[in-house]
Amino acid sequence: MGDDGDRVRVAVRVRPFNRRELDTHCKCIVRMHGSETEITDPETRNTENPHTTSFAFDHSLWSFSNDDPLAPYADQSKLYNTMGKYIIDSAMEGYNTSMFAYGQTGSGKTFTIMGYGAQKGIVPQAMDDLFQRVEVAGVASKETTITVEVAYYEIYNEKVRDLLNPESSNKVAGLKVREHPKTGPYVEGLIKYLCRSPQEVLDLMEDGGRMRAVAATAMNAVSSRSHAIVQLTITQVTPKGPKEARERRSKVNFVDLAGSERAVKSNAASDADRFREAQNINKSLSQLGNVISALADGERVRKRKSGRKPSVMKSDHIPYRNSVLTWILKDSLGGNSRTSMIATISPADDNYEESLSTLRYADRAKSIMNKATVNEDENTKIVNDLRREIDALKKKTRYIGGLRGVQAARDADGKGAADQRPANDAGRQSGDDNESAGAA
């Protein structure tokens, strides 16, 4: 499969019963053992042979109750240490990272990503962790600089709105999504704020959260009607010598997807606005599922090849552009990113079909392989490479110059010896002549 760091990491989290499920006396149909998650068809639950479907993921997080000896309780802290810390670890190494939460409406996605009150979700805990590392890095090296920029936007009815810029919500067409040939898709005109502490980030998120589209449905009193993305840009500049510096820039996406829903179950069909929102939510999630399936199928075909033509030919085309969501997440799925997914499910028997669908969705996602690379600034890299080449040439020049000096000295010594040799020969010849004359 290659480096495990490039594979999409997947965890499943099951929440406790909500008020509606308690009032209707729902039964729990989900069990977790280690990394495995099992779900039982409620229609066969009380039969001799109940139909159970099992899935294996990187992590199965049991948040239903804290009294099950077979499944240790996963609180918000364990959630972060299991899934969130990896995102910040990779970002500080210079990789792009992404985390997104997927599940039906009311399954606990926003609580998982954002949290509530003192029960911090992944993003608030990630901010605490990130700025603590920034502080430690600053103490360890006064010359190292790390900056953190934050943006917060939503995709509502297939339009992008900047949640930190009220004026963008007035644009009927929304913000444009462009694609850079090297860095991939980006939102044009998105405002980024430089933040120096976790609290500054949380204040921005609170301001943006008030602008996010939410509404009450029969399934969720505060149902998110949009996909929301918190985006961090982390830039690290580290000197490597008097004339050289290394700049690494990583992009971090925390994606809180709107929940999939059935119009009949959520009563969205009775409200024109809610119904249109549900249609667009389900459309974008369906396209996301198509992208995940295409990438997963492509990986399975690649594994089967082993030098021979695959029995089933798959198209290389991945339908990223079929929705704004999948276009924006292009790098997160199959591209230059280390990506994690948390699938949130309800434990209730009356949500069996939705929970089973979510588990199948997550099961496909774990097959996706990305191509993550450290993002070193290209211009800085070129300059550093040229400086190294110049230094190497200077050393070579000094070496060659030294060799020429040695050779010149040797040549001078050889010439002096040659000049001295004829004189000596002449002296010897004169002495021989005098001796000959005396004998005569």
Side-chain angles (χ1 to χ4, degrees):
M1 182 182 282
D3 185 359
D4 199 51
D6 288 345
R7 182 177 61 80
V8 173
R9 301 170 79 243
V10 179
V12 172
R13 189 186 200 190
V14 58
R15 60 160 174 78
F17 284 136
N18 60 24
R19 176 52 55 189
R20 181 194 64 81
E21 292 162 348
L22 288 171
D23 290 343
T24 55
H25 306 288
C26 289
K27 304 298 183 184
C28 179
I29 57 170
V30 177
R31 289 287 179 270
M32 290 182 171
H33 308 282
S35 61
E36 290 191 1
T37 298
E38 296 179 353
I39 186 168
T40 301
D41 185 344
E43 293 186 0
T44 67
R45 186 168 179 266
N46 296 319
T47 63
E48 291 183 3
N49 297 306
H51 177 67
T52 299
T53 307
S54 298
F55 300 89
F57 299 103
D58 293 287
H59 302 280
S60 290
L61 303 172
W62 179 258
S63 300
F64 176 74
S65 66
N66 58 6
D67 58 359
D68 189 336
L70 297 179
Y73 183 73
D75 59 10
Q76 296 289 74
S77 177
K78 181 176 180 179
L79 169 72
Y80 179 74
N81 290 329
T82 301
M83 295 297 290
K85 186 175 178 293
Y86 169 77
I87 295 294
I88 300 302
D89 286 344
S90 297
M92 294 302 288
E93 292 173 12
Y95 292 97
N96 291 337
T97 60
S98 293
M99 169 172 283
F100 58 99
Y102 173 83
Q104 77 175 112
T105 184
S107 61
K109 298 180 302 301
T110 301
F111 180 73
T112 292
I113 294 293
M114 304 297 185
Y116 182 77
Q119 299 186 68
K120 294 182 178 181
I122 284 179
V123 173
Q125 292 185 76
M127 295 307 98
D128 291 341
D129 188 5
L130 172 61
F131 282 98
Q132 185 177 10
R133 298 187 195 206
V134 170
E135 184 179 351
V136 170
V139 171
S141 174
K142 300 293 184 183
E143 297 177 338
T144 298
T145 60
I146 303 176
T147 59
V148 180
E149 296 172 289
V150 179
Y152 190 18
Y153 62 97
E154 71 174 354
I155 303 170
Y156 175 68
N157 287 336
E158 287 296 287
K159 296 180 179 63
V160 179
R161 302 196 305 186
D162 189 342
L163 293 174
L164 301 180
N165 179 15
E167 295 181 1
S168 75
S169 62
N170 298 326
K171 296 181 179 180
V172 178
L175 300 178
K176 301 287 186 183
V177 180
R178 307 293 188 189
E179 185 163 12
H180 190 278
K182 291 184 178 179
T183 59
Y186 67 97
V187 179
E188 187 178 56
L190 189 65
I191 294 178
K192 296 180 180 179
Y193 289 84
L194 181 65
C195 292
R196 297 176 177 83
S197 70
Q199 192 57 49
E200 288 185 14
V201 178
L202 297 181
D203 289 343
L204 289 173
M205 288 172 54
E206 186 176 345
D207 292 341
R210 284 193 288 266
M211 289 186 60
R212 188 177 177 188
V214 296
T217 69
M219 295 292 292
N220 190 356
V222 285
S223 175
S224 302
R225 313 310 291 168
S226 67
H227 310 296
I229 300 175
V230 178
Q231 185 180 94
L232 310 179
T233 303
I234 304 171
T235 304
Q236 304 176 72
V237 180
T238 306
K240 295 187 69 178
K243 298 180 181 179
E244 192 173 328
R246 183 185 187 189
E247 180 177 315
R248 291 178 295 175
R249 180 170 297 170
S250 52
K251 184 170 63 177
V252 182
N253 289 317
F254 293 103
V255 186
D256 179 15
L257 296 172
S260 59
E261 62 183 57
R262 293 185 186 183
V264 174
K265 207 168 184 180
S266 64
N267 284 341
S270 61
D271 186 309
D273 289 338
R274 302 292 85 78
F275 185 64
R276 181 164 59 90
E277 291 166 354
Q279 281 185 315
N280 282 305
I281 290 169
N282 290 336
K283 173 189 172 184
S284 59
L285 292 176
S286 176
Q287 294 301 331
L288 179 61
N290 291 339
V291 167
I292 290 174
S293 293
L295 289 167
D297 288 344
E299 181 63 20
R300 291 190 187 100
V301 169
R302 186 189 68 79
K303 284 182 177 180
R304 286 201 305 267
K305 279 187 178 180
S306 64
R308 294 182 298 174
K309 198 178 215 181
S311 56
V312 180
M313 294 300 291
K314 294 288 182 184
S315 171
D316 291 333
H317 173 69
I318 307 298
Y320 291 113
R321 287 181 178 253
N322 285 3
S323 79
V324 174
L325 175 66
T326 51
W327 191 7
I328 287 175
L329 293 179
K330 178 181 178 182
D331 262 353
S332 301
L333 296 168
N336 178 24
S337 176
R338 286 185 169 179
T339 299
S340 297
M341 172 183 176
I342 300 178
T344 57
I345 59 174
S346 161
D349 51 0
D350 69 347
N351 288 321
Y352 168 71
E353 292 184 8
E354 290 86 349
S355 296
L356 181 60
S357 175
T358 297
L359 292 170
R360 287 173 173 163
Y361 206 99
D363 192 55
R364 290 196 299 271
K366 73 182 184 183
S367 300
I368 297 174
M369 291 293 294
N370 287 354
K371 300 176 284 292
T373 58
V374 173
N375 298 296
E376 188 171 2
D377 180 70
E378 194 64 29
N379 292 330
T380 303
K381 185 175 184 297
I382 291 172
V383 170
N384 289 341
D385 288 344
L386 289 173
R387 282 175 175 165
R388 282 192 287 269
E389 189 174 344
I390 290 170
D391 288 342
L393 288 172
K394 284 181 178 179
K395 289 179 181 178
K396 188 175 181 179
T397 301
R398 286 195 294 269
Y399 176 72
I400 293 174
L403 288 178
R404 287 176 176 171
V406 171
Q407 187 62 44
R410 287 176 177 173
D411 291 346
D413 290 344
K415 183 178 179 182
D419 291 341
Q420 188 176 3
R421 194 177 301 114
N424 292 337
D425 290 345
R428 284 196 296 271
Q429 182 64 43
S430 175
D432 291 345
D433 290 345
N434 289 335
E435 289 178 3
S436 297

